[in-house]
Amino acid sequence: MHRSGLLNFLLLVQTAVNYTIQKRNQALLHKYDIIFCATSSEDILIRNQDVETARKKRGYAPMVLMDIAVPRDIDPESKEIDYVFYHDIDSLNIIVEQNVAKRRDEIPK
C-alpha cells in the first residue's frame, strides 16, 4: 500500500504461487481506493464477492480497479458494481486507439 495525497492504492504484482499475499490483500481490499493488478496468476485473485465485501466495509465509497493481467486477476463482473470503476487491458487499448485516432485527425493535411 502507498499513501499518495488522499488516495490509498495497492499495486499487486506477484507470481501466481504467492497465495499468502493474495489472501491478505483480499481481507484488506476495503482499505484501498485504487487497485492495480498485473500478476502471472492463472486464476482470478479478486472475486466479485471480494469487491462487494470491500465496498460495504468502505461505506460504499468509489473504487478504481485496474487489471492489466492476462488472464485476468480481477473478476470482470466487478464492473457491474455501482461506483466501482473497472478497467482491464482491453478497455485501456480502446482508450489508446481512440486517442490515436483523435491525434491523426489533428495532423495538418
Side-chain angles (χ1 to χ4, degrees), residues 37-51:
C37 289
T39 77
S40 60
S41 176
E42 293 295 321
D43 300 315
I44 295 287
L45 299 179
I46 300 174
R47 302 173 321 224
N48 192 41
Q49 185 59 40
D50 300 328
V51 177

Side-chain angles (χ1 to χ4, degrees), residues 35-76:
I35 299 170
F36 187 93
C37 289
T39 77
S40 60
S41 176
E42 293 295 321
D43 300 315
I44 295 287
L45 299 179
I46 300 174
R47 302 173 321 224
N48 192 41
Q49 185 59 40
D50 300 328
V51 177
E52 288 277 10
T53 300
R55 288 263 301 127
K56 288 177 187 173
K57 287 181 180 180
R58 291 170 55 78
Y60 299 95
M63 294 176 76
V64 176
L65 307 176
M66 302 287 294
D67 188 357
I68 65 165
V70 177
R72 302 287 177 256
D73 286 338
I74 302 172
D75 184 346

